[in-house]
């Protein structure tokens, strides 16, 4: 027991002193995400506060309503108007004109004679930037609000007894959703948005955890070889399985710590996104109140499934990594596992596995990583039977991998003398 | 059960998977408390022999017993009594010298006092002083080797297997390490089995030596004995004559 904790402690100490690991895991999660969310909120706020937009106007109408439009535009905060008799002076103007509105002849006449009037709007692009895009979009939205204002004005003039709103927006829709017979005053689309977010967020953060764990585990044997510490380790008075277990637990702990940092960063990011979109994080508690979150039992089963998936992938990585001679080749081995982790889950996002032809279904179900998604789904539906089945499969899978890996570890010649592999392969090539 | 021999090697053969015959049936015995040297040129099979004794490689045939334990059948028992210094060994670069020694000591005892004694011993053996507080990645090749020799001896194993213990050391440090190996072996009754391609150094250090050439043991005995038999003035000459003699046999 003390030998095991000694080994685990060593693994942790080494990893946390590895600048690549610390920067890659902790700093990226804890700095990049908050930074991203700051940038996101900043960009939202900056477009809201929008620096002054300059609009160029060419007025060929010079009537009552063209003046009305110009007065309206002038009253909009942060909008600057530049008038000119022709377009070319505006496009070449030193002022940063975002858009040019051309009011054709007959604009006012058309409006007063109850027919449709026309406007031409040109966006002026000097260089491509996202801010530019947002400012030309806001010119359109200003014009749209003018349209509404104009409609109200015309209605008041032509039908003085009618409330303009009753014509412009005659129908008010109030959405509600019945969940398990109980009424909630929220639109179902909001609910589905939230659900989708959880379908995606939970599996993908777990996948991230797996990727780190696999990386660490696969490289850990190879790095013992590369630094020539493996031979010494294998002659200490500890069993092969203790060494193996030490690496297994070390990788798992680090993966958990790493994913905790990642989750903290990610949650912070998501939270700020949600807050900006004014949906409120209350929606999480809302979901749980609605019974759309896993029950305690589902949650425990899901936890067990996560641990099993983690264990099986770590031992798989340890096993494959033992063959690698250098850290670099171990990394490429673990890189080969990545598609098996991401693709099935990506697939399940778009396709219902149960509707697939049987062979494809079996292949997908045989890949342990598929069950990160299927289990998350089953947990949200509280489908205990499914969860237990998944857990059983993963346990069997893990047991087999552990057995094979343990066997491999006892054949130390295979691990030690990888030089031998190369020689044999060289000879085969000849 | 008191053991007559600390190490017993009987008709040991190792043929690597590629077909290379590294050991061609060698036999020898090492008495408890003896410092026994295996000398031979590069490629003679010294490292192969050491690795088999350290339970890292399985022999093709023949037996090796360490304090009565069979290295193939009872590797766990063997690992409890040996301490192995590989020919090319490293340590964890992000650890300080002290941390590395402590990590290693903890596999042999839980007792804090004993760990302290081991680390004190190691400090004396390696002679690194305050540099033990520095990360191992800042060590020179020689410093690392001294740390590793210290690691192997500090636990006072019953049998120490040292593969080229002084490789990479300058003359003075090599001499210092040789003296300290001998001193520890005698003081704590450690049986030492060491290999070297430097035949002169073995002459000072070992009670008995075996000469290995191309996987075969061509001579064995106390340095003075061998010098007398081959009427040579040093072990290098003994080796040269033994090889020639072997050719005519
Ligand atoms: N893993 C291996 N696979 C195949 N041949 C090996 C291996 N290790 C060593 N050998 C061969 O075995 C012979 C003895 O090598 P070794 O025991 O390292 O000698 P020494 O330590 O005396 O220099 C050499 O011919 C060497 O090439
Ligand atoms: Mg050697």
């Amino acid at each position: 027991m003390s030998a095991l904790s000694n080994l685990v402690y060593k693994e942790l100490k080494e990893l946390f002193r590895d600048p690549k690991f610390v920067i890659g895991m902790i700093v990226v999660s804890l700095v990049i995400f908050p930074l991203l969310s700051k940038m996101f909120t900043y960009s939202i706020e900056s477009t809201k506060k929008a620096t002054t937009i300059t609009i160029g106007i060419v007025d060929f109408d010079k009537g009552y309503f063209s003046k009305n439009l110009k007065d309206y535009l002038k009253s909009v905060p942060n909008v600057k108007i530049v008038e000119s008799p022709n377009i070319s002076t505006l496009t070449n103007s030193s002022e940063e004109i975002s858009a040019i509105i051309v009011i054709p002849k007959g604009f006012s006449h058309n409006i007063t004679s109850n027919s449709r009037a026309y406007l031409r709007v040109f966006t002026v692009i000097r260089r491509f930037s996202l801010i530019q895009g947002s400012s030309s979009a806001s010119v359109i939205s200003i014009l749209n609000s003018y349209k509404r204002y104009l409609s109200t004005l015309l209605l008041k003039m032509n039908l003085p007894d009618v409330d303009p709103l009753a014509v412009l927006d005659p129908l008010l829709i109030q959405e509600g959703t019945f969940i398990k017979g109980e009424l909630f005053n929220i639109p179902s689309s909001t609910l589905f948005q939230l659900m989708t977010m959880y379908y995606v967020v939970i599996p993908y953060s777990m996948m991230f955890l797996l990727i780190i764990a696999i990386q660490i585990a696969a490289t850990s044997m190879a790095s013992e070889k590369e630094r020539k510490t493996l031979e010494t380790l294998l002659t200490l008075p500890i069993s092969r399985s203790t060494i193996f277990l030490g690496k297994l637990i070390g990788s798992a702990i680090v993966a958990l710590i790493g994913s905790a940092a990642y989750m903290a960063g990610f949650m912070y990011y998501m939270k700020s996104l949600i807050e900006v979109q004014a949906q409120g994080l209350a929606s999480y508690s809302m979901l749980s109140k609605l019974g759309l979150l896993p029950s305690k039992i589902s949650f425990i089963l899901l936890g067990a499934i996560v641990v099993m998936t983690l264990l099986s992938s770590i031992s798989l990585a340890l096993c494959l990594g033992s063959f690698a001679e250098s850290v670099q080749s171990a990394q490429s081995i673990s890189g080969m596992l990545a598609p098996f982790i991401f693709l099935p889950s990506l697939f399940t996002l778009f396709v219902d596995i149960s509707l697939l032809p049987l062979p494809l279904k079996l292949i997908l179900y045989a890949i342990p990583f598929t069950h990160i998604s299927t289990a998350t789904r089953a947990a949200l539906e509280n489908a205990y039977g499914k969860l237990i089945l998944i857990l059983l499969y993963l346990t069997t899978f893990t047991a087999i991998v552990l057995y094979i890996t343990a066997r491999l570890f006892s054949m130390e010649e295979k691990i030690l003398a990888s030089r031998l592999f190369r020689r044999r392969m060289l000879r085969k090539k000849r | 059960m008191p053991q007559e021999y600390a190490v017993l090697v009987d008709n040991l053969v190792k043929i690597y998977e590629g077909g290379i015959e590294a050991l061609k049936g060698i036999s020898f015995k090492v008495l408890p408390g003896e410092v026994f040297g295996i000398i031979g040129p590069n490629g003679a099979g010294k490292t192969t022999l050491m690795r088999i004794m350290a339970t890292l490689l399985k022999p093709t045939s023949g037996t090796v017993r360490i304090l009565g334990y069979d290295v193939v059948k009872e590797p766990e028992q063997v690992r409890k009594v040996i301490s192995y210094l590989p020919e090319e060994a490293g340590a964890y670069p992000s650890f300080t010298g002290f941390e590395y020694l402590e990590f290693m000591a903890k596999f042999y005892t839980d007792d804090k006092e004993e760990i302290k004694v081991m680390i004190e011993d190691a400090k004396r053996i390696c002679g690194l002083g305050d540099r033990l507080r520095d990360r191992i990645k800042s060590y020179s090749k020689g410093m690392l080797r001294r740390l590793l020799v210290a690691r192997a001896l500090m636990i006072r194993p019953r049998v120490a297997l040292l593969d080229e213990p002084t490789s990479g050391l300058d003359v003075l440090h090599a001499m210092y390490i040789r003296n300290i190996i001998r001193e520890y072996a005698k003081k704590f009754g450690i049986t030492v089995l060491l290999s070297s391609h430097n035949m002169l150094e073995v002459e000072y250090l070992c009670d008995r030596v075996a000469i290995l050439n191309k996987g075969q043991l061509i001579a064995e005995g106390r340095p003075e004995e061998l010098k007398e038999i081959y009427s040579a003035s040093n072990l290098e000459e003994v080796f040269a004559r033994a090889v020639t003699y072997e050719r005519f046999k």
Side-chain angles (χ1 to χ4, degrees):
Chain A
M1 197 60 214
S2 78
L4 184 60
S5 60
N6 195 17
L7 278 170
V8 171
Y9 182 60
K10 174 227 139 201
E11 296 286 331
L12 295 181
K13 199 147 91 176
E14 272 205 281
L15 274 165
F16 280 98
R17 282 180 184 178
D18 181 359
K20 265 181 294 176
F21 168 75
V22 174
I23 291 169
M25 288 271 342
I26 315 290
V27 179
V28 167
S29 318
L30 290 184
V31 175
I32 299 289
F33 278 126
L35 216 65
L36 267 179
S37 74
K38 274 279 166 311
M39 268 163 59
F40 186 81
T41 38
Y42 177 76
S43 72
I44 291 272
E45 273 158 17
S46 68
T47 47
K48 264 188 203 149
K49 272 191 250 151
T51 43
T52 323
I53 303 169
T54 310
I55 302 174
I57 291 188
V58 182
D59 185 0
F60 292 123
D61 180 66
K62 299 213 163 61
Y64 174 80
F65 277 104
S66 71
K67 186 175 179 304
N68 181 272
L69 169 60
K70 284 187 277 187
D71 288 343
Y72 183 87
L73 291 176
K74 278 173 198 159
S75 73
V76 178
N78 295 323
V79 170
K80 201 182 146 197
I81 301 289
V82 180
E83 240 196 292
S84 169
N86 56 54
I87 294 178
S88 59
T89 44
L90 288 174
T91 51
N92 299 323
S93 157
S94 61
E95 307 229 26
E96 294 263 309
I97 290 173
S98 308
I100 299 169
I101 299 174
V102 178
I103 309 171
K105 251 193 187 92
F107 179 75
S108 299
H109 176 77
N110 280 7
I111 294 173
T112 43
S113 59
N114 285 335
S115 50
R116 294 184 84 179
Y118 298 90
L119 273 185
R120 293 217 65 178
V121 181
F122 301 100
T123 301
V124 183
I125 293 172
R126 285 180 192 79
R127 63 198 114 75
F128 273 98
S129 79
L130 290 175
I131 303 279
Q132 175 83 50
S134 75
S135 67
S136 65
S138 51
V139 171
I140 298 295
S141 80
I142 290 169
L143 283 176
N144 277 330
S145 57
Y146 176 69
K147 258 170 41 180
R148 206 180 156 80
Y149 165 78
L150 192 60
S151 305
T152 319
L153 204 72
L154 290 173
L155 278 168
K156 266 188 190 149
M157 274 162 56
N158 293 335
L159 300 164
D161 301 334
V162 178
D163 177 4
L165 269 181
V167 178
L168 290 173
D169 195 6
L171 209 58
L172 256 180
I173 300 166
Q174 287 177 319
E175 261 196 89
T177 310
F178 274 104
I179 296 159
K180 294 175 183 167
E182 208 182 328
L183 175 63
F184 292 89
N185 285 323
I186 37 162
S188 59
S189 57
T190 312
L191 206 64
F192 283 118
Q193 251 173 15
L194 277 167
M195 296 279 290
T196 317
M197 208 183 82
Y198 285 105
Y199 274 138
V200 177
V201 171
I202 296 176
Y204 273 81
S205 19
M206 283 182 200
M207 274 179 243
F208 187 80
L209 180 154
L210 285 180
I211 294 276
I212 313 163
I214 284 179
Q215 274 273 343
I216 293 168
T219 51
S220 103
M221 278 313 281
S223 80
E224 299 271 0
K225 267 186 227 175
E226 213 172 77
R227 290 169 312 189
K228 305 212 156 39
T229 48
L230 184 62
E231 272 191 71
T232 309
L233 206 57
L234 292 177
T235 54
L236 296 177
I238 40 175
S239 66
R240 297 284 183 270
S241 51
T242 308
I243 296 174
F244 172 67
L245 216 60
K247 293 209 172 287
L248 193 87
I249 296 173
S251 312
I253 290 178
V254 167
L256 285 172
I257 294 174
S259 58
Y262 174 84
M263 286 294 274
F266 191 76
M267 281 307 195
Y268 183 82
Y269 175 64
M270 289 308 280
K271 196 178 139 194
S272 58
L273 286 198
I274 293 167
E275 271 167 2
V276 167
Q277 288 168 355
Q279 284 187 343
L281 199 69
S283 41
Y284 184 86
S285 58
M286 184 183 79
L287 274 184
S288 69
K289 214 184 278 168
L290 297 179
L292 289 174
L293 282 181
S295 70
K296 267 207 184 83
I297 299 171
S298 298
F299 208 75
I300 290 167
L301 284 172
L302 188 63
I305 287 171
V306 170
V307 171
M308 270 306 155
T309 317
L310 197 64
L311 283 182
S312 64
S313 18
I314 289 176
S315 40
L316 202 63
L318 270 176
C319 178
L320 292 175
S322 311
F323 289 106
E325 202 153 342
S326 67
V327 170
Q328 217 177 358
S329 60
Q331 270 165 350
S332 55
I333 287 174
S334 68
M336 286 187 317
L337 281 176
F340 289 99
I341 297 177
F342 279 110
L343 289 181
S345 293
L346 204 64
F347 205 61
T348 53
L349 264 186
F350 302 110
V351 185
D352 190 346
I353 296 189
S354 54
L355 299 178
L356 290 173
L358 190 67
L360 201 59
K361 202 158 51 172
L362 286 180
I363 291 173
L364 273 175
Y365 281 144
I367 301 173
F369 310 117
T370 309
H371 300 293
I372 305 166
S373 306
T374 53
T376 314
R377 225 162 257 229
L380 283 170
E381 289 158 8
N382 288 324
Y384 299 139
K386 248 191 214 167
L387 285 172
I388 289 169
L389 217 63
I390 293 173
L391 189 59
L392 280 179
Y393 172 68
L394 288 176
T395 312
T396 321
F397 184 89
T398 309
I400 293 171
V401 173
L402 276 175
Y403 175 76
I404 294 173
T405 314
R407 277 296 300 270
L408 209 99
F409 263 63
S410 64
M411 293 191 288
E412 47 279 295
E413 285 187 53
K414 286 271 178 292
I415 296 170
L416 255 184
S418 37
R419 239 192 304 173
L420 208 128
F421 272 92
R422 215 174 20 179
R423 272 187 203 171
R424 237 194 311 175
M425 283 194 300
L426 273 177
R427 189 166 311 138
K428 266 182 197 154
K429 271 187 199 148
R430 276 187 223 134
Chain B
M1 182 177 63
Q3 280 303 315
E4 204 178 334
Y5 299 108
V7 177
L8 199 148
V9 176
D10 186 31
N11 203 17
L12 187 63
V13 174
K14 175 68 189 180
I15 303 169
Y16 280 109
E17 274 184 50
I20 295 168
E21 219 176 329
L23 297 174
K24 301 169 181 166
I26 63 171
S27 309
F28 64 89
K29 291 163 188 153
V30 181
L31 295 168
E34 234 182 354
V35 180
F36 191 88
I38 294 153
I39 55 179
N42 288 327
K46 304 183 295 293
T47 298
T48 305
L49 174 62
M50 285 291 191
R51 281 182 164 175
I52 290 172
M53 290 193 286
T55 74
L56 288 172
L57 283 180
K58 296 214 162 53
T60 308
S61 67
T63 50
V64 176
R65 287 180 171 277
I66 298 202
L67 298 176
Y69 301 117
D70 189 300
V71 294
V72 177
K73 293 186 195 119
E74 303 155 288
E76 281 92 14
Q77 295 302 323
V78 172
R79 282 181 216 130
K80 277 182 196 154
V81 296
I82 62 161
S83 180
Y84 171 58
L85 172 70
E87 182 178 4
E88 278 179 51
Y92 305 103
S94 64
F95 279 36
T96 68
F98 275 128
E99 284 171 336
Y100 177 70
L101 293 171
E102 190 186 352
F103 167 67
M104 285 296 172
K106 279 183 177 166
F107 289 111
Y108 295 91
T109 176
D110 287 332
D111 188 308
K112 285 220 168 67
E113 274 309 306
E114 281 178 41
I115 291 174
K116 226 165 125 184
V117 171
M118 284 185 189
I119 292 174
E120 276 308 309
D121 268 16
K123 197 174 164 184
R124 203 175 83 75
I125 297 168
C126 68
L128 286 172
D130 271 348
R131 289 302 304 272
L132 281 173
R133 279 182 228 286
D134 295 339
R135 297 271 171 97
I136 291 172
K137 61 173 157 239
S138 73
Y139 288 13
S140 70
K141 221 177 142 208
M143 287 165 72
L144 175 65
R145 195 65 185 162
R146 278 146 66 197
L147 179 75
L148 294 173
V149 172
R151 190 279 302 166
L153 291 180
M154 72 173 180
I155 57 162
R156 295 177 195 172
R158 292 181 63 196
V159 176
L161 305 169
L162 313 175
D163 197 355
E164 311 254 3
T166 58
S167 81
L169 293 183
D170 58 61
V171 180
L172 287 181
H173 281 121
M175 218 146 90
Y176 176 77
I177 289 291
R178 277 201 291 272
N179 288 337
I180 223 153
I181 289 172
R182 203 169 166 83
E183 179 198 322
Y184 264 73
K186 297 303 160 200
K187 199 153 108 191
F188 302 110
I190 302 172
T191 307
V192 178
L193 225 134
L194 61 91
S195 80
S196 178
H197 65 274
N198 181 344
M199 317 205 176
L200 297 181
E201 90 165 14
V202 175
E203 197 174 329
Y204 306 117
L205 180 55
C206 301
D207 300 317
R208 269 190 322 130
V209 298
I211 297 177
L212 196 62
N213 187 42
K214 293 181 183 162
Q216 277 172 322
L217 219 59
I218 55 177
E220 190 198 325
R222 288 188 292 112
E224 307 82 63
E225 261 173 32
L226 288 173
K227 280 191 277 188
E228 221 178 281
I229 294 170
Y230 290 93
S231 52
S233 59
N234 58 43
L235 280 184
E236 240 162 39
E237 280 179 36
V238 170
F239 174 74
R241 280 173 199 168
V243 171
T244 328
Y245 174 73
E246 198 66 16
R247 257 190 234 138
F248 289 110
K249 216 161 68 171

